[in-house]
Amino acid sequence: MDHIKQQFEKDFRGWLENKYRVSDEQDQIKKLNDIEKAADGFVDRYILESELIAGDLSLSVQHILDEFIKSKIS
């Protein structure tokens, strides 16, 4: 299970970076807000395709999102 969770975290970070890179939104706050909203869809799809449940990922998702947003506004 830990291996699947680690893979999720890697995939989620990559997905966030890709969404940020391809976004043409000029307003930094709106761009990050849009990505954060879209992240729910990524997580939901990942859960459906894996053995994970939402409870397995909730802390990881929030931590990764917080790190990502902080890295972009600093």
Side-chain angles (χ1 to χ4, degrees):
M1 183 69 88
D2 284 341
H3 172 70
I4 296 170
K5 188 174 174 184
Q6 289 173 347
Q7 185 62 48
F8 164 77
E9 291 172 356
K10 179 182 175 190
D11 293 346
F12 188 45
R13 283 184 178 97
W15 180 85
L16 288 169
E17 288 295 339
N18 186 58
K19 289 292 276 185
Y20 186 84
R21 187 175 54 251
V22 301
S23 175
D24 59 354
E25 177 60 56
Q26 298 300 313
D27 182 310
Q28 182 78 350
I29 301 301
K30 183 163 176 17
K31 178 188 282 193
L32 291 170
N33 189 44
D34 291 346
I35 292 169
E36 187 173 10
K37 288 179 185 175
D40 288 338
F42 175 87
V43 173
D44 289 346
R45 285 188 301 279
Y46 208 96
I47 289 170
L48 288 173
E49 297 171 2
S50 72
E51 300 172 14
L52 298 169
I53 60 173
D56 294 334
L57 302 178
S58 61
L59 291 176
S60 293
V61 167
Q62 193 58 54
H63 178 73
I64 292 168
L65 275 171
D66 290 348
E67 281 182 343
F68 177 74
I69 291 169
K70 286 178 187 176
S71 75
K72 298 305 179 189
I73 59 175
S74 297

